[in-house]
Amino acid sequence: MNSENKNKKGILCSVYSSNDEDSARASLDELERLLETAGGEAVAILTQVREAPDHRTVLGSGKCAELKELCENLEADLVVFDCEMSPSQIKAVEDEIDSDVQVIDRSMLILDIFAAHARSAEGVLQVELAQLKYTAPRLVGHGREMSRLGGAPSGSIGSRGPGETKLEIDRRRIRSRIVSLEEELEKVARSREVIRRSRERSGMKRCAIVGYTNAGKSTLLNRLTEAGILAEDKLFATLDTTTRKFTLPCGSDVLLTDTVGFIRNLPTHLIKAFRSTLEEAVYSDLLIIIIDASDPEAKAQLKVTEELLTELGADGKPKLYVFNKCDAATVDSPAWNLPDGDPNVSYAAVSALTGEGIDEMISKLERMLGEGKKRVTLTLPTSAGAIVSDLYSNADNVECEYTENGITVTATLDEKLYGRYSSYVSKEEV
């Protein structure tokens, strides 16, 4: 993280209705962690209970005066609102507090973190597109508002924009850049589709590791495959998709893909920009849903995850719920009224860090991926060398015996292979 952001003093603000206090508090706790991830420090939290935010300043006039006093007394550098704000609301709050304090909203903070953590060329493009689409309508007005959006010191929280010369870019040039980025990402999406089709032809099952940010997705993939992905106790530590091959105890190879983490109120522009990456969940054969069992908000975080999976069109997949960090668990029961007795749903409690419960999880994964497979014996003619080669490449546990009358092969076939070679099946095993 840029050293200029270290010890940035931030004041967190939230407005919520009287019947929404618990979720608002949890969201504020998360906002504080987001600010820490961005390199800042929350020095105060200001809340207001009202049925609807003020249309001009979000906070009421009395709270705005209180916010001004807090900024002066605590020498705050920025104010972060736990909601999405319009350009006029940001401008109005800045005018009310009458200082050089930056005012940003939750979406801008998340975009800032993504900008800092994007590593791959695709990730950088995706973040830039999301930032431009979010900030383009906000390039209005004069003075501090324009300064906040493009002229703040390099690396300061909320201002890691797509480029250093954003102030000189007019609306026409911004639209042109957005079109250019969309075209580049479309090329990346086509390339990703080619890779997906190649994986389909390989016959290997595909599993997407999904879940709330910082639930332990990267740590689990590292545990299973020694992928060497950066795994830190931070929100959105990794943004880039990573796929690794994993060999199950039965000998079958599967592809495991680590995906970007979810979070409540994830900016719509980020979801759209990262859609090709998030679609790894859509094209998977099974979802490994990671839940941080040590987090009191685990149930609410799972709800956010499943809502986003539904939005992506991936909610109908077989699911293996993995309750991670069980060595520090606070969650009493993994049941939560989730489907019981459904062959397309299973559960496991693990610690990806220590390895506890991993073997049992792998066994359940193997069983779920093995549904529909059959152990058969095929009698092939001596001229069927190509079929034998195909079986060795794509079937599981292949045993081959050459005789005077032909070739006898015993193997475990998936539905596609079984349909292809069912005419040679001489025996099926239970």
Side-chain angles (χ1 to χ4, degrees):
M1 190 67 66
N2 192 298
S3 60
E4 291 183 38
N5 283 339
K6 289 183 178 179
N7 301 319
K8 280 276 188 178
K9 295 180 180 180
I11 296 174
L12 310 184
C13 296
S14 175
V15 173
Y16 54 86
S17 62
S18 56
N19 60 357
D20 200 29
E21 183 174 355
D22 289 343
S23 61
R25 293 290 179 185
S27 185
L28 271 170
D29 288 343
E30 192 170 80
L31 186 67
E32 184 172 1
R33 292 195 63 199
L34 285 167
L35 181 58
E36 290 171 357
T37 299
E41 173 192 5
V43 294
I45 296 176
L46 183 65
T47 63
Q48 183 173 31
V49 179
R50 53 184 297 160
E51 294 311 304
D54 185 88
H55 73 279
R56 192 178 77 88
T57 55
V58 183
L59 296 168
S61 58
K63 283 291 180 180
C64 282
E66 187 177 340
L67 176 61
K68 177 180 179 180
E69 185 177 350
L70 280 172
C71 289
E72 292 172 351
N73 293 340
L74 299 175
E75 299 181 344
D77 301 293
L78 73 159
V79 172
V80 188
F81 278 78
D82 194 23
C83 61
E84 189 164 312
M85 302 173 72
S86 69
S88 61
Q89 286 175 326
I90 291 174
K91 179 70 163 59
V93 172
E94 289 177 334
D95 288 343
E96 287 288 334
I97 60 179
D98 191 28
S99 68
D100 292 327
V101 177
Q102 275 186 283
V103 177
I104 64 176
D105 62 20
R106 182 186 181 94
S107 292
M108 294 172 68
L109 184 58
I110 293 175
L111 285 167
D112 181 86
I113 293 168
F114 270 59
H117 289 183
R119 294 291 180 266
S120 70
E122 180 183 9
V124 171
L125 290 174
Q126 289 168 323
V127 173
E128 182 179 350
L129 178 62
Q131 286 181 309
L132 281 175
K133 284 190 170 182
Y134 188 79
T135 59
R138 289 160 169 76
L139 291 175
V140 294
H142 303 284
R144 269 188 299 154
E145 185 174 357
M146 290 291 286
S147 174
R148 178 186 57 75
L149 288 170
S154 173
S156 62
I157 296 173
S159 65
R160 289 190 189 91
E164 294 179 352
T165 59
K166 191 194 303 185
L167 278 177
E168 290 100 36
I169 302 176
D170 59 17
R171 291 183 180 276
R172 180 184 58 79
R173 292 185 64 189
I174 290 176
R175 286 196 296 269
S176 176
R177 179 59 180 159
I178 288 173
V179 170
S180 175
L181 286 168
E182 289 176 334
E183 289 175 350
E184 289 184 66
L185 284 171
E186 181 60 31
K187 292 177 183 177
V188 174
R190 287 197 294 269
S191 175
R192 191 181 290 278
E193 180 62 25
V194 170
I195 294 172
R196 286 195 187 114
R197 289 178 180 174
S198 174
R199 288 171 179 168
E200 281 184 15
R201 287 193 296 270
S202 74
M204 277 191 281
K205 294 286 187 178
R206 293 164 294 171
C207 304
I209 302 174
V210 300
Y212 213 75
T213 180
N214 203 41
K217 296 180 297 298
S218 297
T219 303
L220 180 65
L221 187 61
N222 286 340
R223 165 67 60 178
L224 295 174
T225 67
E226 298 182 359
I229 306 170
L230 175 67
E232 294 183 303
D233 186 20
K234 290 182 179 179
L235 304 182
F236 301 113
T238 53
L239 298 180
D240 300 316
T241 298
T242 302
T243 299
R244 293 289 186 270
K245 186 169 69 173
F246 175 64
T247 303
L248 295 166
C250 68
S252 298
D253 287 330
V254 299
L255 294 173
L256 303 178
T257 299
D258 183 21
T259 61
V260 64
F262 299 147
I263 197 169
R264 55 167 61 90
N265 301 324
L266 190 64
T268 302
H269 291 311
L270 266 180
I271 296 174
K272 291 180 179 178
F274 277 79
R275 191 167 188 88
S276 65
T277 302
L278 293 169
E279 280 180 346
E280 291 295 336
V282 178
Y283 292 103
S284 65
D285 297 295
L286 181 144
L287 297 174
I288 301 175
I289 300 178
I290 309 297
I291 303 147
D292 181 356
S294 70
D295 196 317
E297 287 295 304
K299 187 175 181 178
Q301 292 171 359
L302 176 59
K303 183 180 179 183
V304 171
T305 296
E306 295 198 312
E307 286 174 350
L308 285 168
L309 288 172
T310 298
E311 184 177 340
L312 291 168
D315 55 316
K317 302 285 183 181
K319 300 178 180 71
L320 174 59
Y321 292 90
V322 177
F323 290 81
N324 189 31
K325 307 183 186 180
C326 66
D327 52 328
T330 59
V331 176
D332 293 331
S333 170
W336 292 342
N337 297 320
L338 294 171
D340 188 24
D342 186 341
N344 288 321
V345 176
S346 191
Y347 313 91
V350 308
S351 169
L353 186 64
T354 67
E356 181 182 349
I358 292 293
D359 289 343
E360 182 181 355
M361 186 210 80
I362 293 172
S363 295
K364 292 185 176 183
L365 177 63
E366 184 176 56
R367 179 187 61 75
M368 294 184 73
L369 292 175
E371 295 291 337
K373 289 189 175 183
K374 298 180 180 180
R375 183 71 176 170
V376 300
T377 299
L378 303 91
T379 302
L380 305 171
T382 54
S383 59
I387 295 178
V388 174
S389 177
D390 186 27
L391 291 170
Y392 268 115
S393 297
N394 299 307
D396 299 327
N397 300 327
V398 179
E399 299 173 6
C400 185
E401 181 182 356
Y402 291 84
T403 67
E404 293 181 0
N405 299 322
I407 309 171
T408 302
V409 179
T410 302
T412 303
L413 310 184
D414 60 21
E415 293 179 2
K416 184 188 295 185
L417 281 175
Y418 184 85
R420 188 183 303 167
Y421 300 124
S422 59
S423 61
Y424 296 104
V425 173
S426 56
K427 179 184 177 184
E428 289 192 17
E429 301 177 16
V430 179

PDB file of all heavy atoms in Angstrom, residues 14 28 31 76 86 94 122 167 170 175 229 265 337 360 376 380 388 409:
ATOM      1  N   SER A  14     -22.800   6.821   8.893  1.00  0.00           N
ATOM      2  CA  SER A  14     -23.866   5.914   8.470  1.00  0.00           C
ATOM      3  C   SER A  14     -25.219   6.454   8.907  1.00  0.00           C
ATOM      4  O   SER A  14     -25.358   6.979  10.013  1.00  0.00           O
ATOM      5  CB  SER A  14     -23.638   4.521   9.073  1.00  0.00           C
ATOM      6  OG  SER A  14     -24.727   3.659   8.773  1.00  0.00           O
ATOM      7  N   LEU A  28     -20.895  -1.167   9.157  1.00  0.00           N
ATOM      8  CA  LEU A  28     -19.888  -0.193   9.596  1.00  0.00           C
ATOM      9  C   LEU A  28     -18.591  -0.878  10.011  1.00  0.00           C
ATOM     10  O   LEU A  28     -17.495  -0.377   9.730  1.00  0.00           O
ATOM     11  CB  LEU A  28     -20.433   0.634  10.755  1.00  0.00           C
ATOM     12  CG  LEU A  28     -21.195   1.909  10.389  1.00  0.00           C
ATOM     13  CD1 LEU A  28     -21.879   2.488  11.606  1.00  0.00           C
ATOM     14  CD2 LEU A  28     -20.256   2.936   9.754  1.00  0.00           C
ATOM     15  N   LEU A  31     -16.914  -1.587   6.907  1.00  0.00           N
ATOM     16  CA  LEU A  31     -16.377  -0.362   6.317  1.00  0.00           C
ATOM     17  C   LEU A  31     -15.062   0.022   6.980  1.00  0.00           C
ATOM     18  O   LEU A  31     -14.124   0.489   6.316  1.00  0.00           O
ATOM     19  CB  LEU A  31     -17.401   0.771   6.453  1.00  0.00           C
ATOM     20  CG  LEU A  31     -17.053   2.083   5.749  1.00  0.00           C
ATOM     21  CD1 LEU A  31     -17.067   1.905   4.239  1.00  0.00           C
ATOM     22  CD2 LEU A  31     -18.019   3.193   6.162  1.00  0.00           C
ATOM     23  N   ALA A  76      -9.063  15.141  10.866  1.00  0.00           N
ATOM     24  CA  ALA A  76      -9.361  14.054   9.923  1.00  0.00           C
ATOM     25  C   ALA A  76      -8.937  14.422   8.504  1.00  0.00           C
ATOM     26  O   ALA A  76      -8.927  15.597   8.123  1.00  0.00           O
ATOM     27  CB  ALA A  76     -10.850  13.731   9.957  1.00  0.00           C
ATOM     28  N   SER A  86     -24.589  10.748  -4.333  1.00  0.00           N
ATOM     29  CA  SER A  86     -24.592  11.458  -5.613  1.00  0.00           C
ATOM     30  C   SER A  86     -23.525  12.547  -5.584  1.00  0.00           C
ATOM     31  O   SER A  86     -23.072  12.952  -4.501  1.00  0.00           O
ATOM     32  CB  SER A  86     -25.964  12.080  -5.861  1.00  0.00           C
ATOM     33  OG  SER A  86     -26.191  13.138  -4.937  1.00  0.00           O
ATOM     34  N   GLU A  94     -19.189  18.480   1.652  1.00  0.00           N
ATOM     35  CA  GLU A  94     -17.920  19.215   1.682  1.00  0.00           C
ATOM     36  C   GLU A  94     -18.135  20.679   2.027  1.00  0.00           C
ATOM     37  O   GLU A  94     -17.356  21.283   2.774  1.00  0.00           O
ATOM     38  CB  GLU A  94     -17.215  19.070   0.328  1.00  0.00           C
ATOM     39  CG  GLU A  94     -16.664  17.682   0.075  1.00  0.00           C
ATOM     40  CD  GLU A  94     -16.024  17.536  -1.299  1.00  0.00           C
ATOM     41  OE1 GLU A  94     -16.409  18.276  -2.228  1.00  0.00           O
ATOM     42  OE2 GLU A  94     -15.143  16.669  -1.441  1.00  0.00           O
ATOM     43  N   GLU A 122      -5.684  -7.967 -17.232  1.00  0.00           N
ATOM     44  CA  GLU A 122      -7.148  -7.998 -17.271  1.00  0.00           C
ATOM     45  C   GLU A 122      -7.723  -7.307 -16.048  1.00  0.00           C
ATOM     46  O   GLU A 122      -8.676  -6.523 -16.143  1.00  0.00           O
ATOM     47  CB  GLU A 122      -7.652  -9.437 -17.335  1.00  0.00           C
ATOM     48  CG  GLU A 122      -9.169  -9.546 -17.383  1.00  0.00           C
ATOM     49  CD  GLU A 122      -9.655 -10.975 -17.381  1.00  0.00           C
ATOM     50  OE1 GLU A 122      -8.838 -11.891 -17.177  1.00  0.00           O
ATOM     51  OE2 GLU A 122     -10.864 -11.178 -17.576  1.00  0.00           O
ATOM     52  N   LEU A 167      -8.201  15.168 -14.898  1.00  0.00           N
ATOM     53  CA  LEU A 167      -8.814  16.490 -14.956  1.00  0.00           C
ATOM     54  C   LEU A 167      -8.842  17.055 -16.364  1.00  0.00           C
ATOM     55  O   LEU A 167      -9.703  17.859 -16.688  1.00  0.00           O
ATOM     56  CB  LEU A 167      -8.058  17.441 -14.020  1.00  0.00           C
ATOM     57  CG  LEU A 167      -8.443  17.363 -12.544  1.00  0.00           C
ATOM     58  CD1 LEU A 167      -7.576  18.288 -11.725  1.00  0.00           C
ATOM     59  CD2 LEU A 167      -9.904  17.717 -12.369  1.00  0.00           C
ATOM     60  N   ASP A 170     -12.049  15.363 -21.060  1.00  0.00           N
ATOM     61  CA  ASP A 170     -13.438  15.805 -21.099  1.00  0.00           C
ATOM     62  C   ASP A 170     -14.351  14.604 -21.277  1.00  0.00           C
ATOM     63  O   ASP A 170     -13.908  13.462 -21.422  1.00  0.00           O
ATOM     64  CB  ASP A 170     -13.656  16.845 -22.210  1.00  0.00           C
ATOM     65  CG  ASP A 170     -13.288  16.300 -23.578  1.00  0.00           C
ATOM     66  OD1 ASP A 170     -13.182  15.050 -23.709  1.00  0.00           O
ATOM     67  OD2 ASP A 170     -13.103  17.093 -24.512  1.00  0.00           O
ATOM     68  N   ARG A 175     -15.773   8.876 -22.604  1.00  0.00           N
ATOM     69  CA  ARG A 175     -16.627   7.903 -23.299  1.00  0.00           C
ATOM     70  C   ARG A 175     -15.813   7.079 -24.277  1.00  0.00           C
ATOM     71  O   ARG A 175     -16.005   5.870 -24.417  1.00  0.00           O
ATOM     72  CB  ARG A 175     -17.768   8.618 -24.020  1.00  0.00           C
ATOM     73  CG  ARG A 175     -18.858   9.142 -23.091  1.00  0.00           C
ATOM     74  CD  ARG A 175     -20.116   9.485 -23.873  1.00  0.00           C
ATOM     75  NE  ARG A 175     -19.880  10.573 -24.820  1.00  0.00           N
ATOM     76  CZ  ARG A 175     -20.064  11.853 -24.529  1.00  0.00           C
ATOM     77  NH1 ARG A 175     -20.489  12.204 -23.317  1.00  0.00           N
ATOM     78  NH2 ARG A 175     -19.836  12.789 -25.442  1.00  0.00           N
ATOM     79  N   ILE A 229      -0.633 -18.656  -4.133  1.00  0.00           N
ATOM     80  CA  ILE A 229      -1.346 -17.388  -4.269  1.00  0.00           C
ATOM     81  C   ILE A 229      -1.160 -16.570  -2.998  1.00  0.00           C
ATOM     82  O   ILE A 229      -1.112 -17.112  -1.895  1.00  0.00           O
ATOM     83  CB  ILE A 229      -2.855 -17.634  -4.492  1.00  0.00           C
ATOM     84  CG1 ILE A 229      -3.073 -18.563  -5.673  1.00  0.00           C
ATOM     85  CG2 ILE A 229      -3.602 -16.326  -4.718  1.00  0.00           C
ATOM     86  CD1 ILE A 229      -4.509 -19.034  -5.786  1.00  0.00           C
ATOM     87  N   ASN A 265     -23.121  -4.851  -0.850  1.00  0.00           N
ATOM     88  CA  ASN A 265     -23.128  -3.581  -1.586  1.00  0.00           C
ATOM     89  C   ASN A 265     -21.929  -3.451  -2.525  1.00  0.00           C
ATOM     90  O   ASN A 265     -21.343  -2.372  -2.662  1.00  0.00           O
ATOM     91  CB  ASN A 265     -23.149  -2.390  -0.616  1.00  0.00           C
ATOM     92  CG  ASN A 265     -24.363  -2.401   0.296  1.00  0.00           C
ATOM     93  OD1 ASN A 265     -25.453  -2.784  -0.120  1.00  0.00           O
ATOM     94  ND2 ASN A 265     -24.182  -2.011   1.548  1.00  0.00           N
ATOM     95  N   ASN A 337     -30.843 -24.076   8.141  1.00  0.00           N
ATOM     96  CA  ASN A 337     -31.964 -24.421   7.272  1.00  0.00           C
ATOM     97  C   ASN A 337     -31.567 -24.584   5.806  1.00  0.00           C
ATOM     98  O   ASN A 337     -32.391 -24.413   4.908  1.00  0.00           O
ATOM     99  CB  ASN A 337     -33.081 -23.360   7.380  1.00  0.00           C
ATOM    100  CG  ASN A 337     -33.664 -23.295   8.783  1.00  0.00           C
ATOM    101  OD1 ASN A 337     -33.863 -24.312   9.424  1.00  0.00           O
ATOM    102  ND2 ASN A 337     -33.915 -22.084   9.259  1.00  0.00           N
ATOM    103  N   GLU A 360     -11.671 -35.009   4.849  1.00  0.00           N
ATOM    104  CA  GLU A 360     -13.113 -35.272   4.781  1.00  0.00           C
ATOM    105  C   GLU A 360     -13.763 -34.417   3.688  1.00  0.00           C
ATOM    106  O   GLU A 360     -14.642 -34.879   2.959  1.00  0.00           O
ATOM    107  CB  GLU A 360     -13.765 -34.969   6.123  1.00  0.00           C
ATOM    108  CG  GLU A 360     -15.265 -35.264   6.140  1.00  0.00           C
ATOM    109  CD  GLU A 360     -15.919 -34.932   7.467  1.00  0.00           C
ATOM    110  OE1 GLU A 360     -15.191 -34.562   8.415  1.00  0.00           O
ATOM    111  OE2 GLU A 360     -17.150 -35.041   7.540  1.00  0.00           O
ATOM    112  N   VAL A 376     -17.099 -49.719 -15.405  1.00  0.00           N
ATOM    113  CA  VAL A 376     -17.510 -50.690 -16.430  1.00  0.00           C
ATOM    114  C   VAL A 376     -16.303 -51.443 -16.980  1.00  0.00           C
ATOM    115  O   VAL A 376     -15.145 -51.031 -16.833  1.00  0.00           O
ATOM    116  CB  VAL A 376     -18.240 -49.987 -17.600  1.00  0.00           C
ATOM    117  CG1 VAL A 376     -19.487 -49.263 -17.117  1.00  0.00           C
ATOM    118  CG2 VAL A 376     -17.298 -49.000 -18.303  1.00  0.00           C
ATOM    119  N   LEU A 380     -12.907 -54.562 -26.357  1.00  0.00           N
ATOM    120  CA  LEU A 380     -12.577 -53.831 -27.581  1.00  0.00           C
ATOM    121  C   LEU A 380     -11.814 -54.710 -28.568  1.00  0.00           C
ATOM    122  O   LEU A 380     -11.097 -55.639 -28.162  1.00  0.00           O
ATOM    123  CB  LEU A 380     -11.709 -52.614 -27.236  1.00  0.00           C
ATOM    124  CG  LEU A 380     -12.257 -51.634 -26.193  1.00  0.00           C
ATOM    125  CD1 LEU A 380     -11.191 -50.619 -25.820  1.00  0.00           C
ATOM    126  CD2 LEU A 380     -13.492 -50.922 -26.733  1.00  0.00           C
ATOM    127  N   VAL A 388      -8.468 -46.902 -26.552  1.00  0.00           N
ATOM    128  CA  VAL A 388      -7.694 -47.130 -25.332  1.00  0.00           C
ATOM    129  C   VAL A 388      -6.956 -45.853 -24.922  1.00  0.00           C
ATOM    130  O   VAL A 388      -6.932 -45.473 -23.752  1.00  0.00           O
ATOM    131  CB  VAL A 388      -6.699 -48.284 -25.524  1.00  0.00           C
ATOM    132  CG1 VAL A 388      -5.803 -48.418 -24.293  1.00  0.00           C
ATOM    133  CG2 VAL A 388      -7.435 -49.596 -25.787  1.00  0.00           C
ATOM    134  N   VAL A 409     -10.796 -53.642 -21.155  1.00  0.00           N
ATOM    135  CA  VAL A 409     -10.495 -52.426 -20.390  1.00  0.00           C
ATOM    136  C   VAL A 409     -11.546 -52.248 -19.296  1.00  0.00           C
ATOM    137  O   VAL A 409     -12.749 -52.283 -19.574  1.00  0.00           O
ATOM    138  CB  VAL A 409     -10.480 -51.167 -21.285  1.00  0.00           C
ATOM    139  CG1 VAL A 409     -10.189 -49.920 -20.441  1.00  0.00           C
ATOM    140  CG2 VAL A 409      -9.456 -51.312 -22.396  1.00  0.00           C
TER     141      VAL A 409
END
